[in-house]
Amino acid sequence: MFTIPQIVLVIVWFTAYNWLTTATGLSLTAGGVVFNGLVVGAIMGDISTGFYLGGTYELMNIGLNPLGGSTVPNYNMGVVVGVAFGAVTSLETGMAVGIVVATLASTLDVLAKMCGSFFLHKAQNLLDKKDIKGALRWIDIGLWPRILLDATIPLLILFIFGSPVVELINNVIPAWLLSGFKNAGNMLPAIGFAILLRSMNLKGNFQYVIIGFVLYAYLGIGALGAALVGIALAMIAYYNNQKIADIQVMGGVDDE
């Protein structure tokens, strides 16, 4: 079904892409799925399929940023597998397989984060001992479980055993286990936002938290709308503080 050079190039590419985005924090939030689709389409010799599936999955991926440690379908993985299978079978097959893989990859993301916590605890212990180099070494090592689980290992299995393995995994995994991973993924955003809130000066700004909650929970305004209102309130607060600071400076000059 696939040639060995195609398998090697796709796996090397997506592993390198995951290493770059994980190690540096740089990611193509907008257009990353399309970019992966084009690259894999070029490798498979079918750029049109790569562009079509990349654009389709990008529309599904819009707004699904894993904020606060949340877990969302991995459409980058989905488009890589979908384009590869679509190029050698049909566009419809690639579309179906890619969506299934993207959904299952969210479970692998939770597992990768669980594995990564072991290395982070090692790094924290060394930080307590003032061993910065040792901590950084454990952090670098801790990147690889996620890279392997989010890219290398799944692609290797899929390309070797073919599309039936996707249906097999989907049918064999118990529903309670998938539900557990889903619930764990749903809890992660709350934990992430709680960590972020701890670093904020809520005592003097809790009124904005209440406004955001009312907008989202009672008025039905989405996250983007609430964020725009937050930006407007932040600008108002900034300009008001700036005016107060200017008045105080001018008052100090007049006093002299």
Side-chain angles (χ1 to χ4, degrees), residues 141-174:
I141 297 173
L143 296 176
W144 282 102
R146 178 162 188 169
I147 294 171
L148 293 175
L149 287 172
D150 281 353
T152 311
I153 295 175
L155 289 182
L156 191 60
I157 294 173
L158 288 169
F159 285 145
I160 291 177
F161 295 101
S163 58
V165 73
V166 179
E167 298 180 4
L168 179 64
I169 293 173
N170 201 28
N171 294 329
V172 169
I173 296 179

Side-chain angles (χ1 to χ4, degrees), residues 81-95:
V81 176
V83 172
F85 278 86
V88 298
T89 56
S90 66
L91 186 63
E92 292 75 14
T93 300
M95 177 72 74

Side-chain angles (χ1 to χ4, degrees), residues 27 42 63 74 92 113 115 119 150 157-158 168 179 181 190 193 199 212 225 241 250:
S27 62
N74 187 348
E92 292 75 14
K113 290 175 180 176
C115 295
F119 300 94
D150 281 353
I157 294 173
L158 288 169
L168 179 64
S179 177
F181 276 120
F193 280 114
S199 63
N241 292 334
M250 292 178 64

